[in-house]
Amino acid sequence: MDPFSIVADLEEGAFAKSSRMVRNVKRLSSLREIFEDEADYQKSLSREDRVVYEYTRPVIPPEPGQLFFGTSTIHPGRIGREYFMTAGHYHAKLATGEVYLCLKGEGILLMQNRAGRTRHFRMRRGVAVYVPPCFAHRTVNTGSEEFVCFYCFPGDAGHDYESLKTRGFLVRVKERKGKPSVVPSAKRREGRNRGGA
Ligand SMILES: [Fe+2]
């Protein structure tokens, strides 16, 4: 493919929409199992099927040697005390990393590996976080405006969402006394009761 350049909208933080770019939108209805407070999820959904997050990225072939990159925008909001967040994923090609650079807003990047090791990093404009190979990752908007990140990962990495559906993330980001707090997930306890997953 030919080299190209694209432009970020510096007001919005994200890459500007153009014919080269595609936009993927995730609404509340497509994120049924990720939030802990099912009752508030149903209540919120009955009011409006809100956009929780979206990606804007150029079309690049999913091939070895290519790089996938773009901007992710998580809108502000909560389900119960839990902040709006991405579904989170491992890469299908597990041993591939990723880098995130915050362009706007504030949030937290959660990571977890298959051994159950978790890490989290608070992000604001200018903070870059490196996700090493073999770590699942999820971004969470803990602020009152859009949380926008630039991301880049190998073009043949792919996405594995299924592995996280059985066990989920071991920690969650919730509002406590007006501040974001990283706390153990209730699903973690369920997983332990079942002997883990
Ligand atoms: Fe990723």
Side-chain angles (χ1 to χ4, degrees):
M1 68 185 293
D2 287 330
F4 65 89
S5 70
I6 53 175
V7 178
D9 180 332
L10 295 179
E11 284 298 309
E12 291 298 317
F15 282 128
K17 299 170 185 75
S18 74
S19 58
R20 182 181 287 281
M21 309 297 281
V22 291
R23 179 170 170 252
N24 299 103
V25 173
K26 287 281 188 182
R27 293 182 180 274
L28 205 50
S29 55
S30 68
L31 299 166
R32 187 162 298 276
E33 293 174 355
I34 73 164
F35 294 102
E36 202 166 63
D37 189 336
E38 176 69 16
D40 196 54
Y41 171 82
Q42 294 296 346
K43 194 171 150 189
S44 298
L45 188 58
S46 69
R47 281 199 299 264
E48 185 186 351
D49 189 9
R50 293 173 62 188
V51 174
V52 177
Y53 63 95
E54 54 193 284
Y55 292 96
T56 304
R57 59 179 179 82
V59 177
I60 292 172
E63 299 166 350
Q66 302 278 9
L67 292 171
F68 270 14
F69 71 98
T71 48
S72 63
T73 299
I74 308 177
H75 297 275
R78 284 198 330 239
I79 297 296
R81 294 200 171 277
E82 194 169 20
Y83 296 96
F84 274 12
M85 59 186 168
T86 60
H89 60 269
Y90 285 99
H91 289 160
K93 194 173 181 179
L94 190 62
T96 51
E98 184 160 349
V99 66
Y100 283 78
L101 170 65
C102 179
L103 302 176
K104 183 182 178 185
E106 56 188 274
I108 290 178
L109 195 157
L110 295 178
M111 285 180 249
Q112 173 175 312
N113 68 10
R114 293 203 190 277
R117 181 172 180 230
T118 61
R119 294 293 306 274
H120 69 270
F121 291 87
R122 291 177 191 265
M123 300 184 78
R124 55 181 162 68
R125 184 174 166 82
V127 174
V129 177
Y130 180 58
V131 179
C134 306
F135 274 84
H137 37 287
R138 160 180 282 169
T139 41
V140 185
N141 185 352
T142 57
S144 56
E145 61 174 345
E146 292 176 333
F147 175 46
V148 185
C149 287
F150 169 87
Y151 63 87
C152 185
F153 61 96
D156 60 340
H159 291 88
D160 168 15
Y161 296 98
E162 292 303 313
S163 294
L164 283 165
K165 282 187 177 169
T166 47
R167 192 180 196 187
F169 273 81
L170 301 177
V171 293
R172 292 178 175 275
V173 185
K174 295 182 179 178
E175 181 269 328
R176 288 276 158 87
K177 296 179 182 174
K179 290 183 178 177
S181 179
V182 179
V183 298
S185 169
K187 282 189 175 175
R188 180 183 192 177
R189 291 190 291 275
E190 289 167 16
R192 280 178 172 173
N193 291 341
R194 291 198 305 267

